[in-house]
């Protein structure tokens, strides 16, 4: 399966194909210097598979985890490129999950004011969501994605075979973004989740979710309006993630919790909870609403008394709504199971 993200001179193709990891040369020029950036959680066999196809290939493996999205790691990578004399005609391959995509993409966007990068996402989260849309960034202190830019890859190669080795919890974590895509834009994605084992449907789930992201990003690349609907479940989700993210919960798990109170339709809510149950996602994680609300208050993006949130009343349709910030606190209390 193939789709193209149409952003004028920044347009690029996304290939979803089992085994494409072995055929990168069909879609990208590898006859130049290539630096593969990956992390030590990504199986080395994938790195070697890519290396075999690059006559002038190098690789750099960073330590896995959110900590890699940092200025010190960024600097190490830039220095490596400099030592290897990379020029603007050479390229970077981001081989890994969302952490590697964000980090390697940010390096690519700034080294020599921008060199080409190829995205090869290997987690459900990155294949469904983060590998397209052009947001690349690193964190500073504990503030996520605060240093970054909009920068697009030249091509994205998705090999669902790589998900074979992904731990189950991470597999499900990324699928939450597909449930989100279904709720805000394309209800047929929800049907896919109801047709049995999502593993068997995963190629189609990835494809249809990317179609949603493509449609939204093409209409609003820099998040001036419509693109905000992609933040469905993320306002509360990010709040929970910033308190519990590093220790206990993954991004998708927080978003799963955050979507529930924004569903203003009881039948749909029950439907989504059934999907969570099949996937084994817990929506009743205990957390402290006061602590979460406190962090949300401090969030620089949430200044003022009101905040715009995304709500869904009917599967496949999102609406933006301005609400008093205090209401978020009520939502947090509402979904919080007593701990
Ligand atoms: N740029 C965007 O638009 C965007 C959107 C959403 C999330 N993000 C970012 O994405 C990041 C999270 O991404 P993620 O969930 O992919 O996490 P991740 O990149 O940390 O990957 C999860 C874990 O899986 C391992 N792994 C990766 N591929 C594997 C494979 N095929 N087999 C076995 N193990 C594998 C990694 O080493 C890591 O330990 C966050 O930093 C988040 O901010 C970015
Ligand atoms: Zn997300």
């Amino acid at each position: 399966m193939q789709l193209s993200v149409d952003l004028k001179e920044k347009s690029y193709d996304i290939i979803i194909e089992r085994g494409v990891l072995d055929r990168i040369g069909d879609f990208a020029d590898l006859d130049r210097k290539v630096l593969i950036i990956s992390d030590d959680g990504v199986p080395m066999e994938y790195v070697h598979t890519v290396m075999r196809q690059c006559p002038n290939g190098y690789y750099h493996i960073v330590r896995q985890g959110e900590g890699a999205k940092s200025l010190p790691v960024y600097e190490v990578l830039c220095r490596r490129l400099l030592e290897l004399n990379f020029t603007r005609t050479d390229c970077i391959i981001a081989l890994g999950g969302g952490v590697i995509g964000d980090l390697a993409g940010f390096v690519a966007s700034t080294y020599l004011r921008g060199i080409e990068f190829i995205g090869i996402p290997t987690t459900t989260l990155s294949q469904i969501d983060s590998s397209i849309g052009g947001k690349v960034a690193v964190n500073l202190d504990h503030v996520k994605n605060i240093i970054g830019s909009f920068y697009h890859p030249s091509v994205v190669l998705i090999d669902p075979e790589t998900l074979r080795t992904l731990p189950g919890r991470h597999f499900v974590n990324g699928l939450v973004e597909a449930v989100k895509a279904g709720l805000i834009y394309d209800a047929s994605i929800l049907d896919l989740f109801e047709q049995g084992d999502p593993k068997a449907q995963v190629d189609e789930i990835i494809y249809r979710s990317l179609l949603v992201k493509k449609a939204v990003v093409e209409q609003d690349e820099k998040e001036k309006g419509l693109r905000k609907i992609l933040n469905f479940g993320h306002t509360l989700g990010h709040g929970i993630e910033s308190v519990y993210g590093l220790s206990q919960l993954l991004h998708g798990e927080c978003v799963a919790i955050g979507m529930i109170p924004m569903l203003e339709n009881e039948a749909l809510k029950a439907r989504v909870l059934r999907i969570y149950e099949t996937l084994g996602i817990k929506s009743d994680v205990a957390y402290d609403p006061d602590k979460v609300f406190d962090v949300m208050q401090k969030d620089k993006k949430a200044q003022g008394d009101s905040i715009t949130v995304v709500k869904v009343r009917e599967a496949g349709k999102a609406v933006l709504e301005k609400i008093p910030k205090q209401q978020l606190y009520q939502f947090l209390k509402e979904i919080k199971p007593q701990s």
Side-chain angles (χ1 to χ4, degrees), residues 189-208:
I189 298 173
L190 300 180
D191 301 337
L192 285 176
F193 278 101
E194 291 163 335
Q195 283 165 18
D197 183 8
K199 273 211 167 89
Q201 312 279 351
V202 76
D203 298 31
E204 192 63 27
I205 289 174
I206 295 169
Y207 177 64
R208 288 198 211 171

Side-chain angles (χ1 to χ4, degrees), residues 159-211:
D159 187 344
E161 282 293 334
T162 59
L163 299 176
R164 216 175 7 96
T165 50
L166 189 68
R169 187 175 171 200
H170 279 288
F171 183 82
V172 169
N173 175 56
L175 293 182
V176 173
E177 300 285 359
V179 174
K180 179 196 77 179
L183 286 167
I184 60 170
Y185 209 87
D186 176 6
S188 79
I189 298 173
L190 300 180
D191 301 337
L192 285 176
F193 278 101
E194 291 163 335
Q195 283 165 18
D197 183 8
K199 273 211 167 89
Q201 312 279 351
V202 76
D203 298 31
E204 192 63 27
I205 289 174
I206 295 169
Y207 177 64
R208 288 198 211 171
S209 304
L210 288 175
L211 280 179

Side-chain angles (χ1 to χ4, degrees), residues 125 129 177 180 234 251 255:
L125 184 122
D129 187 28
E177 300 285 359
K180 179 196 77 179
H234 283 60
H251 175 76
V255 172

Side-chain angles (χ1 to χ4, degrees), residues 12 52 216 252 307:
Y12 56 97
R52 273 198 297 276
V216 173
I307 185 161

Side-chain angles (χ1 to χ4, degrees), residues 61-313:
I61 311 294
V62 302
R63 196 176 297 162
Q64 65 186 299
E66 188 69 24
K69 279 172 59 176
S70 70
L71 288 174
V73 177
Y74 163 79
E75 189 180 338
V76 166
L77 289 167
C78 290
R79 188 159 289 127
R80 183 86 200 270
L81 290 167
L82 187 62
E83 281 163 7
L84 293 169
N85 289 318
F86 266 56
T87 67
R88 227 179 247 150
T89 51
D90 298 322
C91 98
I92 288 175
I93 292 183
L95 177 67
V99 163
I100 289 300
D102 283 9
L103 169 71
F106 184 61
V107 171
S109 80
T110 47
Y111 183 78
L112 286 173
R113 296 196 184 84
I115 68 171
E116 203 182 298
F117 91 104
I118 297 166
I120 308 187
T122 61
T123 61
T124 41
L125 184 122
S126 54
Q127 296 187 351
I128 283 169
D129 187 28
S130 68
S131 64
I132 80 162
K135 285 187 178 176
V136 295
V138 295
N139 309 324
L140 182 63
D141 298 333
H142 288 288
V143 190
K144 274 191 67 136
N145 304 327
I146 195 75
I147 303 173
S149 54
F150 284 96
Y151 194 72
H152 300 276
S154 54
V155 65
V156 177
L157 304 176
I158 295 176
D159 187 344
E161 282 293 334
T162 59
L163 299 176
R164 216 175 7 96
T165 50
L166 189 68
R169 187 175 171 200
H170 279 288
F171 183 82
V172 169
N173 175 56
L175 293 182
V176 173
E177 300 285 359
V179 174
K180 179 196 77 179
L183 286 167
I184 60 170
Y185 209 87
D186 176 6
S188 79
I189 298 173
L190 300 180
D191 301 337
L192 285 176
F193 278 101
E194 291 163 335
Q195 283 165 18
D197 183 8
K199 273 211 167 89
Q201 312 279 351
V202 76
D203 298 31
E204 192 63 27
I205 289 174
I206 295 169
Y207 177 64
R208 288 198 211 171
S209 304
L210 288 175
L211 280 179
V212 170
K213 188 143 184 192
K214 162 188 151 71
V216 173
V217 169
E218 281 176 353
Q219 290 170 68
D220 177 19
E221 187 198 346
K222 300 268 168 81
E223 203 169 304
K224 297 204 170 77
L226 179 72
R227 187 165 175 167
K228 290 195 173 80
I229 69 168
L230 296 173
N231 293 333
F232 179 57
H234 283 60
T235 306
L236 294 173
H238 279 151
I240 299 167
E241 193 178 4
S242 51
V243 179
Y244 298 95
L246 285 177
S247 51
Q248 294 158 43
L249 295 172
L250 299 175
H251 175 76
E253 293 167 343
C254 296
V255 172
I257 302 169
M259 288 197 288
I260 296 298
M262 299 299 168
L263 286 168
E264 292 189 333
N265 171 329
E266 288 311 309
L268 186 57
K269 206 181 269 190
R271 187 177 176 199
V272 173
L273 288 173
R274 273 196 303 276
I275 293 177
Y276 285 2
E277 208 179 311
T278 339
L279 294 175
I281 298 169
K282 287 206 181 86
S283 60
D284 60 350
V285 181
Y287 61 87
D288 181 345
D290 293 289
K291 236 188 209 170
V292 172
F293 190 62
D294 191 45
V295 172
M296 292 174 86
Q297 296 269 45
K298 289 190 188 125
D299 184 343
K300 281 182 277 324
K301 280 183 280 186
Q303 295 293 317
D305 293 333
S306 57
I307 185 161
T308 301
V309 296
V310 191
K311 289 190 175 176
V312 169
R313 299 195 176 94

